[in-house]
Amino acid sequence: MFKKAERKRIFVKMALCGVSGSGKTYSALLLAQGLGGKIAMIDTENGSGELYSDLCEYDAAQLEPPFSPMKFINAIKEAEAEGYNVLIIDSLSHAWSGQGGILEMVDKKSATSRSGNSFTAWRDVTPEHNKLVDAILQCRMHVIVCMRSKTAYEMQENEKGKKTPVKVGLAPIQRDGMEYEFTIVFDIDREKHYALASKDRTGLFEKTIDVITPATGELIRKWVEGGVEVSVEVEAVKRPIRADKFVQVYSDDCMVLTKKGFESIKNLPVDTLAQMAAHQNYALAATAITDFLDAKAVAMTVDGSAEATEIDALVNELPDIEDQASKVDGPIG
């Protein structure tokens, strides 16, 4: 049961905390640059994440309100499926306090409950937030999340020795204790953009206060590479053979994007599958859907089910359904 403890090679999860203007996005990109590999960014800041496109090469996906945990989870899974090495989430605070985030979800549940009890609402909503945390921690990518800090002002001496009000950050705008989920947490100063590691499991930055550069990411990468390679048997993760924004094809299943997130075609109604098979967004899944419907029809024919005839009719009518399906914008189902 027990064996000698060894540090394994891991995907590092990091948090950058700071008030508005402290340079979280800029620092995250420099950090990602040093970690190496393909970089993806989930941008909830109305496109501001793409302002630094001249800094390094990265792909960005804009997330728009409502900022439900499931939206973040789907974006994380998509980035992992597309083979990115580093994922930046800017900003994770929107999943908590943004429009449609956890706090708003709790408020709505409390308002619609008979008792108006927020305790019951938290009991229902907290598992959704836990799923988001798990998605971040368990994905096979380095993850850098940016979190806004609550703002306060304190009087500090400037270069001339005079007391002036300075904007400082307090706890990040997220669930209490969220910062302890990460391997490294950097608190970034607004005035000089110095980064202080308030939590550091690597031990690399215990006595360091400096601005973040690509060299910071390179140092972390070398620390990761110094760990023991994890065996494939222990850390095997199911990865799609082919994937795009709407479809994930596995050796034994096909997942398609619906309004509820990614679902197996095995769990969807026949009419929904027919629309997907005829829609260009789901072209990657067309063969899998048609094969699945054919197999289902054969099985039902053997059982004497009348639905088998209906399925056959739908498969034969796919070209006619295409015109109707093409008018659908976004996920079907």
Side-chain angles (χ1 to χ4, degrees):
M1 180 183 293
F2 295 99
K3 62 179 182 179
K4 183 181 178 181
E6 294 179 308
R7 178 166 65 83
K8 306 294 192 299
R9 291 189 185 180
I10 62 170
F11 290 95
V12 182
K13 317 301 178 180
M14 293 163 279
L16 304 185
C17 307
V19 298
S20 177
S22 57
K24 297 184 295 295
T25 307
Y26 188 86
S27 298
L29 284 166
L30 293 177
L31 199 55
Q33 198 175 356
L35 287 167
K38 289 173 59 181
I39 304 169
M41 176 187 288
I42 298 173
D43 178 14
T44 67
E45 301 279 1
N46 201 28
S48 64
E50 296 185 60
L51 296 176
Y52 304 106
S53 58
D54 59 332
L55 190 62
C56 62
E57 187 174 329
Y58 62 98
D59 298 326
Q62 284 195 42
L63 233 58
E64 298 179 350
F67 296 112
S68 65
M70 187 53 67
K71 269 194 174 181
F72 285 85
I73 292 170
N74 284 336
I76 292 168
K77 289 182 177 179
E78 186 177 330
E80 184 177 16
E82 292 186 15
Y84 289 98
N85 187 54
V86 186
L87 174 65
I88 298 170
I89 304 177
D90 185 22
S91 150
L92 191 63
S93 292
H94 280 106
W96 182 255
S97 60
Q99 181 183 339
I102 291 293
L103 296 183
E104 191 171 293
M105 290 170 66
V106 170
D107 288 342
K108 286 183 178 179
K109 275 197 170 286
S110 298
T112 55
S113 69
R114 291 182 179 179
S115 63
N117 190 335
S118 63
F119 177 80
T120 304
W122 276 110
R123 183 192 63 193
D124 295 339
V125 174
T126 295
E128 300 302 313
H129 189 270
N130 291 342
K131 289 177 185 177
L132 172 55
V133 175
D134 289 342
I136 293 171
L137 299 181
Q138 294 173 11
C139 71
R140 294 182 65 80
M141 299 178 287
H142 299 302
V143 179
I144 306 167
V145 308
C146 299
M147 295 191 288
R148 293 180 181 177
S149 296
K150 298 171 186 175
T151 306
Y153 288 86
E154 65 179 34
M155 300 300 291
Q156 294 183 4
E157 283 189 6
N158 60 18
E159 292 83 355
K160 297 179 181 179
K162 292 184 178 181
K163 293 278 188 178
T164 57
V166 176
K167 194 177 185 181
V168 295
L170 302 175
I173 300 175
Q174 250 293 337
R175 183 173 69 184
D176 286 345
M178 179 68 176
E179 62 270 30
Y180 299 112
E181 301 284 356
F182 299 95
T183 313
I184 307 171
V185 179
F186 287 110
D187 294 319
I188 303 178
D189 168 63
R190 186 177 186 272
E191 300 304 312
K192 297 183 179 180
H193 309 300
Y194 287 147
L196 170 66
S198 57
K199 178 192 175 183
D200 178 18
R201 288 179 179 170
T202 69
L204 297 172
F205 308 101
E206 288 181 356
K207 299 179 181 179
T208 304
I209 302 177
D210 207 346
V211 295
I212 290 174
T213 67
T216 312
E218 290 173 11
L219 185 62
I220 295 170
R221 188 186 72 228
K222 289 177 181 178
W223 178 84
V224 170
E225 292 172 349
V228 178
E229 188 75 51
V230 180
S231 66
V232 176
E233 292 78 12
V234 174
E235 291 292 316
V237 171
K238 192 176 180 182
R239 287 181 174 273
I241 301 169
R242 297 184 303 280
D244 60 21
K245 184 177 180 181
F246 288 85
V247 181
Q248 295 177 359
V249 180
Y250 296 87
S251 59
D252 59 350
D253 200 359
C254 180
M255 306 290 287
V256 288
L257 183 63
T258 70
K259 293 176 181 177
K260 297 179 182 178
F262 276 98
E263 297 185 71
S264 170
I265 61 173
K266 300 172 186 177
N267 301 327
L268 296 176
V270 170
D271 56 342
T272 299
L273 291 175
Q275 286 188 58
M276 287 180 171
H279 198 292
Q280 60 181 1
N281 287 347
Y282 297 89
L284 201 59
T287 301
I289 291 173
T290 305
D291 290 346
F292 172 70
L293 291 176
D294 284 341
K296 189 172 184 178
V298 170
M300 287 182 172
T301 300
V302 173
D303 294 338
S305 172
E307 190 180 353
T309 305
E310 296 176 17
I311 294 175
D312 279 336
L314 277 171
V315 172
N316 293 329
E317 292 170 10
L318 285 181
D320 300 324
I321 297 172
E322 184 172 3
D323 181 59
Q324 179 184 354
S326 65
K327 298 175 183 177
V328 179
D329 184 22
I332 297 175

